[in-house]
Amino acid sequence: MAKTIVIDPVTRIEGHAKISLFLDDAGEVSDARFHVVEYRGFEKFCEGRPFTEMAGITARICGICPVSHLLAAAKTGDKILAVQVPIAGEKLRRLMNLGQIVQSHALSFFHLSSPDFLLGWDSDPAKRNVFGLIAADPDLARAGIRLRQFGQTVIEKLGARKIHAAWTVPGGVRSPLSVEGRDWIRDRLPESIATTQTALAIFKDILDRFQTEIEQFGEFPSLFMSLVAPNGDWEHYGGAIRFKDSAGNIIADGLSEDDYQDYLGEAVESWSYLKFPYYKPLGYPDGIYRVGPLARVNNCDRFGTPLADAELAEFRQRAGAIATSSFLYHHARLLEILACLERIERFMDDPDLLSDRIRAKADINSLEGVGVSEAPRGTLFHHYNVDANGLLEKVNLIIATGQNNLAMNKTVTQIAKHYIHNNDLSEGFLNRVEAGIRCFDPCLSCSTHAAGQMPLHVELLRPDGSLVREIYRD
């Protein structure tokens, strides 16, 4: 008899979602769906607001990656003003985004995912969290917390707040970096680099024990999309859009965010509030593509910094020229943290960061603008249409997590088919299904995390909706 398993909520992610697993008469998984079950409506309720408020408004979408929306909104505002951001303003924006990537990736790796690696997939779920990690390896847990603190404090030194800093504005930024802030960042960099190198060593040491996960956690061909610098270097703020396929072929390059509607489509499904973007030339759903750390690492020719480039060479030796397993998002995050720290280190002797020429001012010179930036989880687009007074008439946001939606659903299906057989619903198997989603570190709304263990409710339902069996995890 066909049955359905519902995992609700999915734990150790930012936001609210559930997973449905559909079993056939033999108890084997026939399909799986990753549902986003909350509706926010930012695109609609921003209509009628001045475009100058969008950085502050859209930053409230998320408490973990507000900087991503600050930057994308400000860059869209730059287009509407038709201004050139002063070089100091651009460098300061870049510095804040580097801090943002560090803190967000540190949260994902140390707090949300490392309990699976270090404590075990089948460990007690009440202890399989950051508190269990603190008990098992307090030095590593403390180092991870301090690494995230470093990234958050970089943001605070620039914008005066760690979260929702009203600092980036159309045309530039509000204030430069202080000498005291620069000195604090410089002093903490060696520790942060050492922590990242330690995490990389630990992860590479245990990676050989996760061959099954590498092969089953979202191992499939797809396109990869990200920003790339004009010289092929890894990029997080400027550059242009590149698509590569799983064989390493560049499918499209040098694409402008202004033309995103020519190459990106957005499909919808009745069972999720999260849209399903796809690469238009291949259609839906064949145009599946991935964004975020793995895409950026696959698409770039190099990081352009010595420590990260050495790690990138080893990464490609292990995974191949193009890494196609979603499990390797975790490895890619550590590479990006190291590259970000090296770039921050380069900034420390740059006098432009202390300059007061940080903002260009103008009136409305365009009624439409598209801004793009690399959020920790992937490429983020903001598209605004305004009237002559600068009031928003239409808003479209293409979020990184949404662009991974097709890939997340495919990953969940692949894991479930491999691990769940004969109605076996053991805790470890269900955790592996959730862990497939955590590879992408999805940010579904303004983040929600629970101390200790979050509840899990699994239901097996007949096709007519009647209950066969249910399991509670309190």
Side-chain angles (χ1 to χ4, degrees):
M1 180 179 295
K3 302 173 183 177
T4 301
I5 302 170
V6 179
I7 303 176
D8 184 13
V10 179
T11 60
R12 281 185 281 137
I13 63 171
E14 288 116 73
H16 302 282
K18 70 177 182 180
I19 295 171
S20 295
L21 306 177
F22 301 91
L23 307 182
D24 60 20
D25 292 339
E28 300 297 302
V29 174
S30 60
D31 195 10
R33 289 177 178 175
F34 174 64
H35 310 263
V36 176
V37 295
E38 58 186 342
Y39 178 72
R40 310 285 320 282
F42 269 82
E43 292 168 316
K44 194 63 181 176
F45 66 63
C46 285
E47 292 177 6
R49 307 299 303 179
F51 78 95
T52 52
E53 295 181 357
M54 286 299 283
I57 292 174
T58 58
R60 268 67 183 179
I61 291 174
C62 178
I64 296 298
C65 48
V67 170
S68 306
H69 291 286
L70 286 170
L71 292 173
K75 291 183 74 175
T76 310
D78 299 340
K79 298 281 187 68
I80 292 172
L81 296 180
V83 296
Q84 177 85 30
V85 176
I87 186 64
E90 179 178 325
K91 289 180 178 180
L92 287 161
R93 285 181 178 181
R94 284 179 171 273
L95 179 59
M96 181 175 271
N97 203 35
L98 293 170
Q100 157 71 3
I101 293 171
V102 169
Q103 72 87 13
S104 181
H105 282 359
L107 172 68
S108 174
F109 183 81
F110 288 96
H111 295 63
L112 306 184
S113 293
S114 67
D116 291 327
F117 312 145
L118 302 178
L119 304 180
W121 308 102
D122 301 300
S123 58
D124 182 355
K127 298 178 180 178
R128 195 176 56 225
N129 48 51
V130 68
F131 299 105
L133 182 61
I134 291 171
D137 194 336
D139 290 339
L140 180 64
R142 186 181 301 109
I145 291 169
R146 284 179 62 82
L147 179 60
R148 186 181 181 221
Q149 180 196 53
F150 171 81
Q152 288 181 302
T153 306
V154 170
I155 296 168
E156 184 181 32
K157 295 296 183 184
L158 291 165
R161 298 175 66 180
K162 293 180 180 178
I163 301 175
H164 307 322
W167 180 72
T168 58
V169 291
V173 299
R174 294 185 185 276
S175 58
L177 179 65
S178 68
V179 173
E180 294 77 16
R182 180 197 61 189
D183 292 345
W184 185 93
I185 295 169
R186 180 184 280 135
D187 290 344
R188 281 285 294 271
L189 272 167
E191 176 192 334
S192 299
I193 292 172
T195 295
T196 306
Q197 291 175 315
T198 297
L200 275 162
I202 292 172
F203 189 74
K204 287 185 293 185
D205 184 57
I206 65 176
L207 202 54
D208 292 338
R209 303 203 301 268
F210 290 116
Q211 287 306 305
T212 299
E213 286 78 7
I214 292 173
E215 294 170 1
Q216 300 298 330
F217 280 39
E219 168 60 78
F220 51 79
S222 75
L223 299 181
F224 296 92
M225 187 194 82
S226 71
L227 291 172
V228 176
N231 65 352
D233 278 3
W234 177 86
E235 183 56 86
H236 65 100
Y237 175 85
I241 298 290
R242 171 181 287 180
F243 281 89
K244 268 188 183 180
D245 66 15
S246 296
N249 302 306
I250 296 177
I251 302 302
D253 206 7
L255 300 176
S256 170
E257 66 272 16
D258 296 334
D259 304 318
Y260 80 92
Q261 291 174 314
D262 293 338
Y263 53 86
L264 293 184
E266 296 181 85
V268 295
E269 297 284 357
S270 61
W271 42 269
S272 179
Y273 282 120
L274 195 62
K275 292 183 287 188
F276 292 77
Y278 60 95
Y279 182 59
K280 265 188 175 179
L282 296 183
Y284 178 80
D286 294 338
I288 178 176
Y289 66 96
R290 284 176 270 189
V291 297
L294 192 65
R296 291 189 289 259
V297 168
N298 279 335
N299 275 343
C300 73
D301 299 334
R302 68 197 72 83
F303 276 110
T305 58
L307 296 178
D309 276 337
E311 291 290 344
L312 178 61
E314 183 175 349
F315 175 84
R316 288 177 173 167
Q317 185 179 27
R318 288 171 174 267
I322 299 295
T324 53
S325 171
S326 297
F327 185 78
L328 295 176
Y329 266 93
H330 302 300
H331 197 169
R333 282 188 192 94
L334 294 175
L335 297 182
E336 289 199 323
I337 292 175
L338 188 58
C340 288
L341 293 172
E342 288 186 282
R343 291 192 177 208
I344 291 172
E345 188 174 42
R346 287 180 177 177
F347 270 137
M348 290 302 94
D349 294 319
D350 192 331
D352 283 334
L353 298 184
L354 307 178
S355 171
D356 58 3
R357 295 186 176 90
I358 53 177
R359 183 177 181 181
K361 297 183 179 180
D363 204 344
I364 297 168
N365 289 300
S366 176
L367 299 182
E368 184 175 12
V370 179
V372 66
S373 183
E374 285 289 344
R377 291 152 187 84
T379 318
L380 170 65
F381 294 87
H382 279 214
H383 181 189
Y384 309 156
N385 293 90
V386 302
D387 65 16
N389 297 312
L391 300 181
L392 290 157
E393 295 183 328
K394 185 178 179 181
V395 175
N396 189 37
L397 310 177
I398 304 183
I399 311 297
T401 293
Q403 294 175 80
N404 279 329
N405 201 4
L406 281 170
M408 288 190 293
N409 276 274
K410 194 163 186 175
T411 295
V412 167
T413 302
Q414 185 181 48
I415 294 172
K417 286 184 175 181
H418 180 78
Y419 285 103
I420 298 178
H421 303 285
N422 300 318
N423 296 334
D424 186 349
L425 304 180
S426 69
E427 168 65 36
F429 288 171
L430 294 178
N431 183 46
R432 285 172 173 84
V433 173
E434 291 188 62
I437 294 300
R438 287 195 290 270
C439 292
F440 297 88
D441 189 25
C443 191
L444 307 178
S445 66
C446 44
S447 312
T448 56
H449 303 291
Q453 179 186 354
M454 291 184 69
L456 180 69
H457 183 195
V458 180
E459 293 182 328
L460 281 77
L461 303 174
R462 296 186 178 92
D464 62 4
S466 59
L467 183 66
V468 177
R469 179 186 174 197
E470 60 183 345
I471 301 173
Y472 286 92
R473 189 173 74 190
D474 295 324

